[in-house]
Amino acid sequence: MAISTAHGPRKRSSPPDRGPDMKPISAVVLVGGFGTRHRPVTYAVPKQLVPLAGQPMLFHAMDLLPTAVSRITLACGYKAEAFETYLRLHPYRVPVTVVKEEKPLGTGGGLKNGARDVTDPFALVNGDVISGLDMDPMLEFHREHGGLGTMSFYEVEDPSPYGVAVWSEDQRIVRFVEKPPKESAPSRWINAGASIWSPSVLSAIEGGREVSLEREIIPALLSKGIYGFPFRSWWEDAGTPARLLNAQRLLFDHPRTGRFAPTGKLTGARIIPPVATGKGCEAEGATVGRYVTLGEGVRLGKGAVVGDAVLMDRVEVGAGAEVRRSILGPGYHVPAGAKVLDQCLANEGPSK
Ligand code: GTP
C-alpha cells in the first residue's frame, strides 16, 4: 500500500558524512512473532505491515536504525511471504533481505538465524517498536565504550510487562530482569527494543531451537559488558490495539519520514488533520480525523465519521456509520448506521 501523509515530507537528517566512524553497518529487524494480541487483523496481515500514520509499522521501526545502516535482514516467521511481497512493491531506502524461520525461534533464535554475515557492530530492532530514539549517538556510544552490546532504555510508570535494567555509574548493566512483578521491579527503565551488538553475542545463542534473548541470553552475558543507553523522548511498543493507536498518534505528532508525497485527495470530505490517505479513496460527505490512516481504495459513505483509527485497504464504511479508536483489516465492511468503537476487526479467522 502506498500512502501519503497530511504532514508532508520530512527528510531524514542530512546524509551521513561517512568518516572513519561512520562506516556502513548491517541491521537485523525481528518480525517473526504471531501478533496474537492484534487478532483477527493479524490473521490477515502481520502486525508490522499494519499502516500507521501513512506507512507500515515496519518502516517506522526501520527508520529508527542508525544512518550508517546500509543493509537490513528481516528475521521473519509468521506470514514471511507478506513481507516479501510488500517489500518488492515498496522497496525500503536500503536493501532488505528476508530470512525465514521454519518454526518460531524466539527473539534470540530469530536473531541467530537472521544474523548472517553481520558487520561489527550491527544494529537490532524489534519490528513493532515506535519511538523518538536517535540511534546515531547510541552507535557512537557503543563504539566508544566497546563491550558486547548497548541497549536502549525508556522510563515508564509500570515496567512489569517489559525487560527492566539497572546499570552502574559507567552505564554498564548490572541487572536485567524480564517482566518482573511491579512491586519488585529493580527500576522503571525498560528495554526499548533497539540495540547495538558485537557479533560475538551470536556465539552465545544455540542455533535451531527457540531461545529468548531477554530471558536467557542478556542476563547470562552481563559480565561481558552490556551498556544501557537511556533516552527520554517518546516510545510505544504497539503490542496491543490500544497501544498501536497510541503509537499512531505519537507518529503523527512527531513526523520523522517524508517517504510518501503530501496527502492523497479526499474530495468532498471534512478532514480533521492529521490524516494519511492511500490512493483511490472516496469519502464524499464523510468526516475523517483526527489521527486516521486510510489504506488504498477505502470507501466512506455520506455522513460516516472516522476518528483515531486505521482502516486498511478496501475497507468500506456505510453511510452514517461511526468508527472510532479502531483497527479494521483489509476489505472489512461496516454497515450503514453502525457504531464501531474500540474494536480490532477483520474478515479473516484462523486458517483451518
Ligand atoms: P504477541 O503474540 O501479541 O505477543 O506479539 P508478538 O508475536 O509480536 O510478540 P512480541 O511483541 O513479544 O515480540 C517482540 C518482537 O519480536 C516483535 O517484533 C516480534 O515479531 C518479534 N518476535 C517474537 N517472536 C519471534 C520469533 O520467534 N522469531 C522472530 N524472528 N521474531 C520474533
Side-chain angles (χ1 to χ4, degrees), residues 7-345:
H7 272 294
R10 177 218 74 135
K11 293 277 171 286
R12 205 186 148 92
S13 44
S14 50
D17 169 20
R18 293 195 194 280
D21 284 354
M22 284 300 291
K23 62 176 191 258
I25 65 165
S26 63
V28 177
V29 179
L30 296 174
V31 294
F34 288 98
T36 52
R37 289 167 292 170
H38 291 83
R39 287 175 179 166
V41 164
T42 43
Y43 288 131
V45 281
K47 173 171 66 179
Q48 294 84 0
L49 291 184
V50 172
L52 298 180
Q55 64 170 343
M57 186 188 297
L58 173 67
F59 281 11
H60 292 296
M62 296 200 303
D63 284 349
L64 281 185
L65 290 167
T67 331
V69 167
S70 64
R71 61 190 161 86
I72 298 172
T73 303
L74 210 55
C76 297
Y78 181 62
K79 291 198 180 288
E81 305 69 32
F83 290 104
E84 280 174 328
T85 307
Y86 190 88
L87 287 162
R88 203 171 40 246
L89 297 173
H90 309 280
Y92 190 65
R93 67 181 170 87
V94 299
V96 180
T97 307
V98 170
V99 174
K100 298 180 207 175
E101 285 154 45
E102 294 312 318
K103 55 176 186 178
L105 293 174
T107 46
L111 167 61
K112 174 102 175 179
N113 189 58
R116 302 164 186 178
D117 193 25
V118 289
T119 51
D120 185 7
F122 68 94
L124 173 69
V125 298
N126 288 351
D128 55 357
V129 169
I130 304 298
S131 165
L133 169 69
D134 184 350
M135 286 187 83
D136 283 347
M138 190 173 160
L139 176 59
E140 226 172 278
F141 175 98
H142 179 83
R143 286 193 159 126
E144 276 166 27
H145 286 73
L148 190 64
T150 300
M151 300 173 62
S152 57
F153 288 90
Y154 185 74
E155 196 174 29
V156 296
E157 193 47 45
D158 176 10
S160 59
Y162 305 103
V164 183
V166 178
W167 46 83
S168 55
E169 226 162 72
D170 64 354
Q171 288 178 239
R172 207 171 148 143
I173 300 175
V174 291
R175 216 174 145 204
F176 184 87
V177 199
E178 185 66 11
K179 299 187 176 55
K182 189 175 179 187
E183 36 318 327
S184 61
S187 83
R188 292 194 301 158
W189 289 95
I190 61 157
N191 176 7
S195 46
I196 311 275
W197 296 96
S198 146
S200 52
V201 69
L202 300 172
S203 48
I205 306 172
E206 198 185 320
R209 74 164 176 95
E210 191 167 345
V211 180
S212 162
L213 201 55
E214 299 79 10
R215 289 183 190 279
E216 297 173 59
I217 305 301
I218 294 166
L221 292 180
L222 291 183
S223 62
K224 309 269 186 214
I226 302 177
Y227 288 85
F229 187 86
F231 70 100
R232 287 196 185 273
S233 53
W234 55 274
W235 179 90
E236 187 56 278
D237 80 349
T240 64
R243 285 184 167 281
L244 182 142
L245 291 172
N246 189 45
Q248 166 157 277
R249 291 192 291 273
L250 287 164
L251 287 163
F252 269 128
D253 288 343
H254 304 88
R256 199 195 253 267
T257 177
R259 191 181 334 284
F260 301 114
T263 192
K265 287 262 181 315
L266 278 182
T267 314
R270 177 172 172 246
I271 310 277
I272 310 168
V275 169
T277 312
K279 284 191 223 145
C281 295
E282 291 170 24
E284 181 99 37
T287 300
V288 187
R290 317 175 57 198
Y291 301 119
V292 170
T293 293
L294 302 181
E296 289 184 5
V298 171
R299 293 166 63 180
L300 310 179
K302 223 177 211 146
V305 177
V306 178
D308 198 4
V310 173
L311 274 51
M312 299 186 65
D313 294 355
R314 303 177 310 284
V315 165
E316 290 188 22
V317 178
E322 184 180 346
V323 178
R324 291 192 191 277
R325 300 177 302 278
S326 294
I327 304 158
L328 304 183
Y332 193 81
H333 177 81
V334 178
K339 260 190 200 304
V340 174
L341 307 177
D342 304 290
Q343 299 289 322
C344 182
L345 301 169

